[in-house]
Amino acid sequence: MVPITPLTVVLFATIVIGVAATLTAWRARPEPGSLPLVAMLAGQSWWSTCLVLQVQATTLQAKMLWVDVSWVGVVVIPVAWLAFALQYTGRDEYLQCRYLVLVSLVPALTIVLTLTGEYHDLFYRESRLLVQNGSLRIHRTVGPWFWVITGYTYLLGLFGGIPILSLLSSDARPFRGQSFALLLGTLAPWMSNVFFLLGFYDTSGLDPTPVAFSVSGVAYLAAVTRFRLFGASPSPTHRARRLVFTKMHDGAVVVDRHDTVVDMNEPATEVLGVTPSDALGSPATSVIPSYDTFPAEGALSTPLSIDSDRGVDRYDVSIVPIDDVHDRPLGRVISFHDVSDILRERQRLKVLNRVLRHNLRTEANLIAGYADLLADGDEAHESRLIKERTQRIIDVGDKGRMVVELFERDWSEVEPRDVATLLDSCVTDVAAEYPEARVVVGDAPTDASVSAVLKPVVLNLVENSVEHNSADAPWVEVSARVVEDTVEIRIVDNGDGIGDYERRVLSQGEESPLEHGSGLGLWLVTWGVDIADGSVTFENRQSCGSIATVRVPNVSVPAETHAR
């Protein structure tokens, strides 16, 4: 009976830690990577167990048996480690059966060679017992296959470490902790084996790698418990990024730094009318129309026209550069957003708007002219009503023109307006059109500016306050103040107020056949405020009239202040 030595005690502790880590990983199934980790930890525990039995054995045949059997665990570890790394980081597309069989061929052949060692010397050439430091040790001269499986093991370990290593730079703290613990648990036995093979320390012929598995077990336990290895998994990340590219609605083409097409998604093949087999590896100029005119990055100033079975389709094209970690260019991603329907709809709206405005005004002026013929007769009252209704039709047409201009104009390129000047301009215009009403400007800051889109917004609010005002002495007061980084504009009147149905329609954002607003004015206000990245609220005064409050960014304040 071989006495229990400190080495045996350490190995027993390693086995206990390894089994605990294995059971912990087993309970985490079916989390990504759990089963490969179980296999890897089981392989480590098996190797440690065989080493204990080898140390305790007293004959050459017994020691040879446990050395040979230990290789089952040895060859399982790198294959399981690679499978774990790929599945855990979301690269499980490489874990198909044919790939696993291919990777396992060398380990399987290794097991066969160890079990048939008496018939060849490919693995071990010579085996004999030695007495070292008072203990029986087995000394074996290795053959060429030993170095093949050793190099193959290191190669799989390296391939498995690469995706785990990439998590060290992750923005997610748990992933950084997980990857550090996993790499530590892998490097400890790996480096121990390297030092043993290079003869850096005397271990009396024993491979100390299983002893280092105690460090691995602790590291893996920490990864599972402390860093939530199976509670916060990065496995969806890699797949999700690929899905964003392949499943996105817009077409996308990837070109390298030499303008060669290297990847494209399915929508891009439909946009360009090509197949991946024909396009990949081809110059971008032969695949993408007008490619030579594309900027290095950014977007085309005008839509790109591409012939298709439907005719000519139009696309907004954007170019995003791809750089490596050293900011060196690798290529570009070119995306195609179909705007054909939008442009066709915009064209239709322009035509409809022009025709409606022209016809409405023409017909309304004719009606008003005929109404004037009745003004001096018994139908004077009816004539006045006809002219009032006719003017409303003309106003609707004018509001429609303003709405079209509101959306067609790029307000970001228009100079901001000084708040006080903007309010004075709006009040002056309305006061000239409605001299019977008292329209005034109250307090207004002189050092604040707002988007120019607020001009038609405020103008319509003031006009509505006068038009829908049946008071004997109608009045409207417009004022503004600065509240932190926003400008608050208030329009107060003594009119009829805003009906609940109007506010409800605006809050819903759409009209129905049974519930709709009374015109385009308030819609123009709502859409204009939205373009200005602001908000508008309406409330009725306790006595009479209403209060409209517009809140928009103070564009004279730096943009980073708004972001805070």
Side-chain angles (χ1 to χ4, degrees):
M1 179 71 181
V2 177
I4 301 298
T5 64
L7 174 61
T8 306
V9 174
V10 172
L11 288 174
F12 273 123
T14 299
I15 295 171
V16 171
I17 295 173
V19 170
T22 302
L23 293 175
T24 302
W26 175 258
R27 286 198 296 268
R29 69 189 192 285
E31 293 294 332
S34 58
L35 291 181
L37 184 60
V38 167
M40 184 177 69
L41 293 171
Q44 292 182 353
S45 299
W46 176 255
W47 191 357
S48 300
T49 302
C50 289
L51 183 58
V52 171
L53 296 174
Q54 176 205 329
V55 171
Q56 295 297 110
T58 58
T59 66
L60 176 61
Q61 292 299 322
K63 288 183 179 292
M64 289 173 56
L65 172 64
W66 292 118
V67 171
D68 292 341
V69 172
S70 69
W71 277 98
V72 174
V74 175
V75 297
V76 164
I77 293 171
V79 176
W81 163 250
L82 178 62
F84 164 78
L86 293 176
Q87 189 176 76
Y88 180 67
T89 58
R91 295 169 171 84
D92 52 344
E93 68 267 23
Y94 302 111
L95 294 181
Q96 301 178 42
C97 288
R98 61 179 181 272
Y99 297 147
L100 287 176
V101 170
L102 185 62
V103 170
S104 302
L105 285 179
V106 173
L109 184 57
T110 299
I111 299 301
V112 173
L113 292 178
T114 57
L115 297 179
T116 60
E118 59 182 307
Y119 303 108
H120 59 80
D121 58 0
L122 291 175
F123 211 105
Y124 293 112
R125 294 179 174 176
E126 180 187 6
S127 301
R128 66 178 187 274
L129 282 179
L130 298 176
V131 178
Q132 293 182 338
N133 299 326
S135 300
L136 283 175
R137 296 286 185 261
I138 184 173
H139 174 78
R140 311 189 78 172
T141 304
V142 298
W145 190 260
F146 176 89
W147 298 112
V148 171
I149 186 60
T150 299
Y152 187 75
T153 298
Y154 290 158
L155 187 64
L156 294 188
L158 177 63
F159 285 163
I162 291 174
I164 300 296
L165 186 64
S166 65
L167 295 177
L168 286 175
S169 60
S170 172
D171 292 332
R173 184 177 299 177
F175 297 162
R176 296 198 300 269
Q178 293 168 11
S179 59
F180 179 79
L182 291 171
L183 291 173
L184 175 63
T186 303
L187 285 174
W190 194 1
M191 297 308 298
S192 176
N193 185 255
V194 170
F195 292 154
F196 167 70
L197 294 177
L198 294 177
F200 280 11
Y201 41 65
D202 181 18
T203 58
S204 301
L206 287 176
D207 186 348
T209 302
V211 177
F213 288 153
S214 59
V215 178
S216 298
V218 173
Y220 295 142
L221 281 173
V224 173
T225 57
R226 173 66 177 83
F227 298 110
R228 300 189 300 139
L229 183 67
F230 299 118
S233 172
S235 57
T237 306
H238 178 77
R239 178 65 61 84
R241 289 177 177 174
R242 183 64 189 173
L243 282 176
V244 169
F245 179 78
T246 58
K247 299 299 183 182
M248 63 188 294
H249 180 71
D250 292 344
V253 177
V254 181
V255 300
D256 64 11
R257 60 185 300 177
H258 305 293
D259 295 320
T260 300
V261 177
V262 295
D263 200 1
M264 63 193 316
N265 61 5
E266 185 175 345
T269 63
E270 298 176 0
V271 169
L272 300 173
V274 298
T275 61
S277 59
D278 293 335
L280 298 184
S282 301
T285 51
S286 66
V287 177
I288 304 174
S290 305
Y291 181 79
D292 291 336
T293 65
F294 289 7
E297 64 178 290
L300 289 183
S301 57
T302 58
L304 177 68
S305 299
I306 299 179
D307 294 332
S308 69
D309 296 338
R310 300 180 300 272
V312 178
D313 292 331
R314 311 286 295 282
Y315 296 90
D316 279 343
V317 179
S318 60
I319 300 95
V320 179
I322 307 172
D323 299 329
D324 63 11
V325 294
H326 303 292
D327 294 328
R328 293 175 299 200
L330 296 177
R332 298 186 294 173
V333 178
I334 304 168
S335 60
F336 301 85
H337 178 65
D338 191 350
V339 293
S340 303
D341 291 339
I342 295 175
L343 294 178
R344 282 192 285 265
E345 189 67 23
R346 184 180 298 174
Q347 185 183 45
R348 296 187 191 110
L349 290 175
K350 283 184 177 180
V351 173
L352 286 173
N353 175 62
R354 178 179 55 79
V355 171
L356 284 176
R357 284 193 297 108
H358 178 269
N359 290 357
L360 280 176
R361 179 173 289 275
T362 300
E363 298 301 324
N365 287 333
L366 286 173
I367 294 172
Y370 284 115
D372 286 335
L373 299 177
L374 305 175
D376 297 331
D378 297 335
E379 295 83 3
H381 175 69
E382 288 77 3
S383 173
R384 183 176 58 81
L385 291 178
I386 292 174
K387 296 187 67 173
E388 288 179 357
R389 296 297 179 177
T390 302
Q391 186 59 44
R392 289 190 181 184
I393 295 175
I394 295 175
D395 290 343
V396 169
D398 292 340
K399 287 292 196 309
R401 174 183 55 79
M402 295 177 68
V403 168
V404 171
E405 292 178 352
L406 189 74
F407 287 110
E408 285 188 341
R409 194 168 187 181
D410 186 359
W411 294 98
S412 62
E413 297 182 355
V414 181
E415 285 292 328
R417 299 291 299 273
D418 172 78
V419 173
T421 303
L422 184 145
L423 298 187
D424 284 336
S425 175
C426 293
V427 167
T428 300
D429 292 346
V430 176
E433 186 175 356
Y434 301 93
E436 71 281 2
R438 184 171 66 90
V439 187
V440 297
V441 177
D443 295 333
T446 57
D447 57 349
S449 300
V450 293
S451 170
V453 75
L454 266 294
K455 174 64 186 291
V457 168
V458 175
L459 185 62
N460 269 271
L461 285 172
V462 178
E463 284 183 345
N464 284 339
S465 296
V466 176
E467 289 178 356
H468 303 286
N469 194 321
S470 59
D472 295 335
W475 59 265
V476 181
E477 180 179 286
V478 186
S479 62
R481 62 172 181 165
V482 175
V483 181
E484 296 182 350
D485 57 350
T486 63
V487 174
E488 186 177 281
I489 301 174
R490 285 164 55 91
I491 297 92
V492 184
D493 64 63
N494 66 336
D496 304 331
I498 300 176
D500 292 337
Y501 73 95
E502 292 275 7
R503 288 199 294 268
R504 187 162 55 250
V505 169
L506 292 175
S507 64
Q508 292 172 349
E510 60 182 3
E511 295 187 348
S512 68
L514 299 179
E515 188 171 45
H516 53 82
S518 59
L520 291 174
L522 290 181
W523 280 116
L524 188 150
V525 169
T526 302
W527 294 330
V529 170
D530 187 58
I531 292 173
D533 197 21
S535 63
V536 59
T537 57
F538 301 95
E539 58 181 307
N540 290 329
R541 299 174 63 215
Q542 290 184 352
S543 55
C544 64
S546 62
I547 303 174
T549 304
V550 176
R551 297 178 180 86
V552 292
N554 181 1
V555 296
S556 61
V557 177
E560 56 269 19
T561 304
H562 295 293
R564 290 196 296 268

